[in-house]
Amino acid sequence: MVASWPEPIVSVQALSQTGLSTVPDRYVKPAHQRPVYNSDQSGLDMEVPVLDMRDVWRKPEGLKRVRNACEEWGFFQVVNHGVDHALMESVRGAWREFFDLPVEVKRKYANSPDTYEGYGSRIGVVKDAKLDWSDYFFLNYLPSSIRNPSKWPSQPPKIRELIEEYGEEVRKLCEKLVETLSESLGLEPNHLMKAFGGEDKVGANLRANFYPKCPQPHLTLGLSSHSDPGGITIVLPDEKVAGLQVRRGDCWVTIKSVPNALIVNIGDQVQILSNGIYKSVEHQVVVNSGMDRVSLALFYNPRSDIPIGPVKELLTEDRPALYKPIRFDEYRLLIRQKGPSGKNQVDSLLAST
Ligand code: OGA
Ligand code: NI
């Protein structure tokens, strides 16, 4: 396992604050990866579905809409999700304050590529790779045995408490969502959670993302195109600044976030468990020249030490198992070594390859 970065780490926020007028070459993406903005494709619905938890939770009609969103988009926004709106605002504000601390303070939490825990500015260890226009803080949340708040920021003063409070509320939402996904696949309500290894054994990580404003946003990306390796992801977006784009056929659709909504997306493990019925869809983040953007992603993952493969009840003669089972810890290692790569990584597990 690689223990250090191949090049010195540069805080993108600090770089942006120098007021530079061009993007350094390290961040200039090749032409085919540069952002494209919604080119309207007639006929196709171009808005990520918005679901109300009160309409979908244990409601047959609602479950159909969940299924449709997960098959078609791999993404939806959810409202009436049960997470307190004031808490969402406070935790996002606390992270904003953390990123606004001097870079010397944040460097005390500098991460390394063996665990990624802490403050960082790159993903992947490939030397001379083109980098993303963002900084982040990554921490372990579940199982509680690997939670180590002493590695979390200690400033602003309330941030650790807020992370725990927010984490608890999102954990409850994830439990409901996993049940909802299970039912929407036609499985028993607790089937998918059992396949995840049980609610007291699941894993969760939090990543706070900071996307500084950028002098030439059309040349770079805040986060390169990727699919999330885990189970499901809950994104708390910036309240003012859009940037998350979802792949839709040959287009990229920018999510217009509904006030107080959370964004939910299917990760590779749910694609595997559902035998490809639900899609872990590629997404990326674009930046802009006017405003910084903050987002919080909570990754809710299956237990990492059990094989994850397609659920038997979803296999048919016409649709045999598409993927070979793999443990999540092994899968994550593969991805961390490779760094972000556009193509949905799960394809490397195709049973036919
Ligand atoms: C991620 C991610 C989206 C965002 O952290 O995996 O896709 O809006 N984040 O920051
Ligand atoms: Ni993501």
Side-chain angles (χ1 to χ4, degrees), residues 254-296:
T254 307
I255 296 190
K256 295 192 190 102
S257 50
V258 168
N260 298 311
L262 292 165
I263 299 166
V264 178
N265 67 282
I266 298 298
D268 296 348
Q269 303 306 304
V270 169
Q271 178 169 330
I272 294 171
L273 286 160
S274 71
N275 200 34
I277 297 174
Y278 285 180
K279 306 290 186 314
S280 172
V281 171
E282 274 175 78
H283 50 286
Q284 65 184 17
V285 175
V286 296
V287 290
N288 71 86
S289 59
M291 303 251 258
D292 301 331
R293 176 174 183 269
V294 173
S295 72
L296 233 59

Side-chain angles (χ1 to χ4, degrees), residues 80-278:
N80 290 308
H81 42 60
V83 181
D84 185 70
H85 297 171
L87 177 60
M88 287 161 54
E89 201 175 308
S90 322
V91 73
R92 192 174 42 213
W95 278 108
R96 204 182 287 278
E97 282 184 56
F98 170 77
F99 285 108
D100 282 339
L101 293 170
V103 72
E104 307 79 63
V105 177
K106 290 179 289 191
R107 275 228 179 91
K108 290 187 199 142
Y109 303 94
N111 70 354
S112 70
D114 51 355
T115 65
Y116 275 88
E117 196 165 14
Y119 176 65
S121 299
R122 71 180 286 162
I123 302 168
V125 291
V126 180
K127 200 166 181 310
D128 294 325
K130 293 287 187 185
L131 302 181
D132 289 343
W133 193 262
S134 55
D135 303 323
Y136 62 87
F137 197 106
F138 183 78
L139 60 87
N140 293 325
Y141 188 70
L142 291 176
S144 33
S145 57
I146 61 159
R147 190 183 302 173
N148 187 355
S150 69
K151 290 192 178 172
W152 303 0
S154 61
Q155 280 188 68
K158 281 220 158 138
I159 193 166
R160 288 184 185 167
E161 254 172 79
L162 286 168
I163 293 167
E164 298 231 356
E165 268 178 60
Y166 178 75
E168 273 326 282
E169 296 210 359
V170 176
R171 174 229 284 256
K172 282 184 224 148
L173 172 63
C174 287
E175 287 172 1
K176 277 181 129 177
L177 285 169
V178 170
E179 180 178 321
T180 302
L181 294 182
S182 194
E183 286 200 282
S184 70
L185 283 163
L187 301 168
E188 289 299 313
N190 64 357
H191 196 124
L192 197 57
M193 186 58 91
K194 279 200 207 149
F196 264 56
E199 54 196 28
D200 44 346
K201 293 286 175 18
V202 298
N205 310 98
L206 187 74
R207 188 161 83 209
N209 297 299
F210 188 88
Y211 303 98
K213 55 186 175 199
C214 176
Q216 295 176 296
H218 49 287
L219 296 182
T220 189
L221 286 168
L223 192 56
S224 292
S225 120
H226 65 284
S227 65
D228 291 349
I232 56 175
T233 306
I234 312 297
V235 176
L236 169 60
D238 194 283
E239 74 279 35
K240 293 202 195 84
V241 187
L244 177 55
Q245 295 190 320
V246 179
R247 186 187 274 293
R248 176 80 163 146
D250 297 328
C251 286
W252 287 101
V253 175
T254 307
I255 296 190
K256 295 192 190 102
S257 50
V258 168
N260 298 311
L262 292 165
I263 299 166
V264 178
N265 67 282
I266 298 298
D268 296 348
Q269 303 306 304
V270 169
Q271 178 169 330
I272 294 171
L273 286 160
S274 71
N275 200 34
I277 297 174
Y278 285 180

